[in-house]
Amino acid sequence: MVDKWLKWENGKEWGEIQCPMLDDEYVMTYYPEGVPCYYSYTAPFVNDGDLCYYRYDHDEGCWDTDTLFCMGEYIEGIILKFGQRAY
């Protein structure tokens, strides 16, 4: 499923959380700098040519398992920031 891991340019590490959508691997999660951490997110990754991520809801204590968030087509060298569209 993950062809390539990328990184958030303005993400702050929250910590590792077991992710059932990624074969129960523990993945580092991130949140936007300067805001309360209600959600944390996996690093962005390339999946079949698209930029994607998963979201963890800290208030509910679980992953949003029904949604694979896609930001658009992957372009080599793209800089990914929270609060911006990838394309």
Side-chain angles (χ1 to χ4, degrees):
M1 171 169 210
V2 176
D3 299 326
K4 180 178 183 177
W5 285 102
L6 304 171
K7 69 175 193 164
W8 295 109
E9 185 73 18
N10 63 339
K12 185 168 175 83
E13 286 186 356
W14 185 87
E16 289 186 337
I17 303 174
Q18 190 174 6
C19 182
M21 296 81 65
L22 296 171
D23 297 327
D24 280 333
E25 287 185 42
Y26 280 85
V27 296
M28 182 60 69
T29 61
Y30 304 84
Y31 66 99
E33 291 179 315
V35 299
C37 184
Y38 300 114
Y39 298 102
S40 61
Y41 308 85
T42 64
F45 57 89
V46 180
N47 177 33
D48 292 329
D50 290 326
L51 290 168
C52 303
Y53 62 89
Y54 287 108
R55 179 176 73 182
Y56 187 86
D57 184 331
H58 290 275
D59 288 337
E60 296 294 324
C62 62
W63 290 97
D64 184 353
T65 57
D66 297 331
T67 306
L68 171 63
F69 295 91
C70 291
M71 299 181 284
E73 185 179 341
Y74 172 64
I75 299 168
E76 185 71 37
I78 193 166
I79 296 173
L80 298 166
K81 293 183 178 185
F82 284 109
Q84 287 185 324
R85 292 178 65 100
Y87 52 94

